Amino acid sequence: MLREPAETDWPAILDLANRSVAHVSGAGAQDEWLANRRNRRRGQRQFVLEEEGELMGYGAIEASDDVRGGYRVFIVTTPERRVDAGELLFAHARACLDAEGAAQSWFIEYAEDTPFIRFIEKHGYSEARRFDLPTGVQAVVLSQSHTRSQS
């Protein structure tokens, strides 16, 4: 079941985020990432995937303040659930982007997380650039342009 996150979901979302990048050297704990997601803002849609009372994933789109019609996308699940939960979360994120009339969307991911990058690329995203995070870990931006329907 997809739904909006409840206040009581945040510890499980943090656990999912930590487990999703546990294989990435230098990723560290995702507490700052979680704090940024909890800081609700304009143009943000968040959702969780729950199965039998357990959180299987988190997703969100966040409107950019700098890119008109631009949205950053987040899909978080454990690597072993990427095939099922990840696909459901991605489909919902895509529906949210379509509903918002997104012109462009992007992910910012750890460059070392090649399995997740391949997952994103499978959905039509391509590498736009790389940069080093303050921790020295390299990140990659994967973006996609969206066709707006003419009404």
Side-chain angles (χ1 to χ4, degrees):
M1 165 178 73
L2 284 166
R3 61 173 176 77
E4 287 189 28
E7 189 60 34
T8 56
D9 291 328
W10 293 110
I13 293 169
L14 177 60
D15 180 60
L16 278 172
N18 285 328
R19 290 174 28 211
S20 75
V21 295
H23 61 285
V24 176
S25 58
Q30 299 298 298
D31 299 88
E32 183 178 352
W33 174 89
L34 183 80
N36 289 331
R37 303 296 69 77
R38 288 185 77 170
N39 183 16
R40 294 187 184 258
R41 48 184 268 203
R42 174 199 66 77
Q44 181 186 57
R45 288 189 177 191
Q46 298 182 78
F47 43 93
V48 293
L49 176 63
E50 181 181 27
E51 288 181 3
E52 299 177 9
E54 184 178 349
L55 241 52
M56 295 292 127
Y58 166 87
I61 66 167
E62 294 181 357
S64 171
D65 292 333
D66 302 322
V67 178
R68 185 177 176 151
Y71 288 83
R72 185 170 174 193
V73 183
F74 301 88
I75 303 293
V76 179
T77 190
T78 59
E80 60 273 9
R81 294 299 308 261
R82 189 172 299 126
V83 172
D84 57 352
E87 289 295 339
L88 287 169
L89 292 161
F90 186 85
H92 190 68
R94 173 70 73 189
C96 291
L97 291 167
D98 290 346
E100 294 293 332
Q104 181 182 12
S105 63
W106 60 88
F107 289 81
I108 301 174
E109 302 300 332
Y110 293 111
E112 188 180 306
D113 196 354
T114 53
F116 189 64
I117 290 170
R118 282 193 301 269
F119 171 81
I120 297 166
E121 288 173 336
K122 182 179 86 171
H123 292 285
Y125 287 78
S126 58
E127 183 174 328
R129 67 184 177 97
R130 289 178 180 241
F131 64 95
D132 290 332
L133 296 168
T135 60
V137 175
Q138 192 172 61
V140 61
V141 178
L142 297 114
S143 70
Q144 182 179 76
S145 295
H146 299 271
T147 304
R148 291 182 161 185
S149 61
Q150 303 295 322
S151 304

